[in-house]
Amino acid sequence: NIERNLYLTTQLTKMGILVVIALNMIDIERKKGDSFVIKKLSEKLGCEIIETSALKGTGSNEAVSKAIALAKQKTKTIAQHKFSELVEDSLSKIASYIENTISPNLLRWYSIKLFERDQKVWEQLALDEKIRSKIDSIIAECEKQLDDDSESIITNERYNYIADVIKDCYVRKNTSRLTVSDKIDR
C-alpha cells in the first residue's frame, strides 16, 4: 500500500509540512529479499524516512524523536516533485493571478487546489470574476489537451510521480513469487 500512503505524503509536502515517514514492515521486505534505497527515497520525497518494524518493535522511538525534532524547527519542507510540463505551465499561470493575495509558501498549494476546482478554496479566495474566468479558461484548456477533468489530472500526476519514485528506489528480488501477504491482499 505504499503508493496510497505516499499520495498523502505528496499532499503534505506540497503544503510545506515537515514529514517523517515511518517505513513499516521493512523487516518483511528484507526477508523477501526486497529493499528500498532509503537515502534516494528520502531525497526524492524531500522528507525524513525511518525504517520501522511494528512486529519487532524497532524504529518507532527514532521516528517519534525525529518528528519532535522537526516540529521544533521553523523551516518548511520543499516539495521535490513536479507535474508534467503542461500541468506545471497551467499551475504557473494560475499562480500569477493569485500571487499577490497568497503567502508565497502556500502559493503552489492554492494553485493546485484552484486547478482541482476545490469549491471551498474558490470561496475562501473570493476572486474577482474576471480573474476567476481567466483561471477557469486555463484549467479548461489543460483539461481539453489532456482529455480529463482537472481533479483526475492532479490525481494521475501524483500517482505517476509516485510510481517513478518507487521504480527508482525499490529493488524487488523476486517478481514472480507471491508472498502470503500478497495472496491475502488479492
Side-chain angles (χ1 to χ4, degrees):
N1 293 326
I2 193 160
E3 290 89 354
R4 186 175 40 205
N5 292 304
L6 287 180
Y7 188 88
L8 174 61
T9 301
T10 64
Q11 290 176 308
L12 294 172
T13 59
K14 283 290 179 202
M15 293 178 67
I17 296 172
L18 294 170
V19 174
V20 175
I21 294 175
L23 190 58
N24 194 26
M25 299 176 68
I26 202 72
D27 53 325
I28 294 171
E29 292 301 308
R30 286 195 181 114
K31 187 176 177 182
K32 292 189 312 188
D34 298 346
S35 64
F36 281 95
V37 182
I38 298 297
K39 185 175 184 197
K40 190 174 188 180
L41 184 62
S42 177
E43 288 169 2
K44 285 188 168 283
L45 295 173
C47 56
E48 296 280 338
I49 299 175
I50 308 298
E51 297 179 20
T52 64
S53 170
L55 184 64
K56 293 183 178 179
T58 59
S60 298
N61 290 337
E62 185 182 351
V64 169
S65 296
K66 182 54 88 172
I68 291 169
L70 283 178
K72 292 178 181 177
Q73 293 180 9
K74 299 289 186 215
T75 60
K76 298 262 184 195
T77 191
I78 299 170
Q80 304 298 310
H81 78 275
K82 299 261 186 242
F83 297 126
S84 67
E85 190 175 331
L86 179 61
V87 174
E88 284 296 334
D89 184 53
S90 298
L91 293 174
S92 178
K93 289 175 184 174
I94 292 169
S96 72
Y97 286 108
I98 62 170
E99 64 188 348
N100 294 328
T101 59
I102 301 296
S103 169
N105 62 324
L106 292 175
L107 183 59
R108 181 155 175 94
W109 184 83
Y110 273 98
S111 298
I112 292 169
K113 296 312 278 179
L114 288 173
F115 184 88
E116 292 176 311
R117 292 194 168 104
D118 184 305
Q119 200 57 42
K120 289 182 181 179
V121 171
W122 280 95
E123 290 168 8
Q124 178 189 359
L125 292 180
L127 298 169
D128 175 84
E129 190 57 42
K130 189 184 265 187
I131 291 174
R132 281 183 71 110
S133 177
K134 288 180 181 181
I135 290 173
D136 194 50
S137 65
I138 292 166
I139 298 165
E141 179 60 30
C142 189
E143 287 175 324
K144 181 181 174 187
Q145 289 186 37
L146 294 175
D147 192 30
D148 208 347
D149 68 277
S150 61
E151 191 173 6
S152 295
I153 290 168
I154 294 295
T155 300
N156 291 332
E157 293 277 330
R158 281 197 174 113
Y159 277 119
N160 288 340
Y161 167 74
I162 291 165
D164 287 342
V165 167
I166 292 170
K167 186 175 122 188
D168 285 349
C169 301
Y170 185 65
V171 181
R172 180 167 258 160
K173 180 181 176 189
N174 186 352
T175 56
S176 61
R177 201 176 107 230
L178 291 177
T179 65
V180 173
S181 181
D182 293 333
K183 291 176 185 174
I184 291 170
D185 286 347
R186 284 186 172 206

